[in-house]
Amino acid sequence: LLAAALGLTLGFASCGGAASPKDLNNAGETALQSMDYDGAKASYEEALAALGDDTASADYKTAKLGIIECLAHLNADACVAEFRALAAGGSLEARDYSFIGGLLAGANSVSAGIEIAGDGIKAFPGNGSLDNVLKSLAEKAKTSGNAKDMGALSGLGYL
């Protein structure tokens, strides 16, 4: 089976050369679905390398958000830093904040989830999806009793 997979990989490489950013993003998505966060992150990083300076490409945003999704499971602080760097470019939508904030909540990275969802609700006031994520994070903060998290949520009007 390994020999067949290797042969298939070599066959693709010889036919088309280097993988396209779209192919690399697809490989990252497949790895994400298998919860192979390190492998997915590597595929998304390869997609970014293949794109070079083409930050206007849809594949760029896909790769960046893919890396951020991986980091939500691997390193919450790095996830927040990468997300904020991408957000500074102004290309994100409320659903991006909601999705990553929700992932962080699901991974029990409550503080990081509050940071992302809090940034989102400030950028998109009244967004129902972000409101739901922040309510979920508020429940987790109440359960944990983390004073810093509860203070941050209180400042956002969620406690």
Side-chain angles (χ1 to χ4, degrees), residues 146-156 159:
N146 183 304
K148 179 184 170 225
D149 290 345
M150 291 192 310
L153 287 161
S154 179
L156 292 167
L159 283 182

Side-chain angles (χ1 to χ4, degrees), residues 17-107:
S20 72
K22 184 176 189 80
D23 292 338
L24 292 164
N25 281 338
N26 288 340
E29 181 61 32
T30 299
L32 261 178
Q33 290 173 359
S34 299
M35 292 187 257
D36 177 8
Y37 304 117
D38 290 314
K41 185 173 175 281
S43 290
Y44 289 125
E45 287 169 342
E46 287 180 48
L48 287 178
L51 284 163
D53 293 335
D54 187 6
T55 59
S57 169
D59 288 322
Y60 176 83
K61 183 178 176 184
T62 299
K64 288 298 275 186
L65 284 172
I67 290 169
I68 291 165
E69 185 175 349
C70 294
L71 290 171
H73 299 280
L74 298 170
N75 182 332
D77 291 335
C79 176
V80 171
E82 287 286 328
F83 189 89
R84 285 181 165 162
L86 183 59
S91 66
L92 297 180
E93 301 168 30
R95 65 186 169 131
D96 299 320
Y97 288 87
S98 179
F99 180 68
I100 299 300
L103 280 177
L104 289 163

Side-chain angles (χ1 to χ4, degrees), residues 2-17:
L2 182 60
L6 183 58
L8 201 58
T9 302
L10 292 174
F12 282 134
S14 66
C15 290

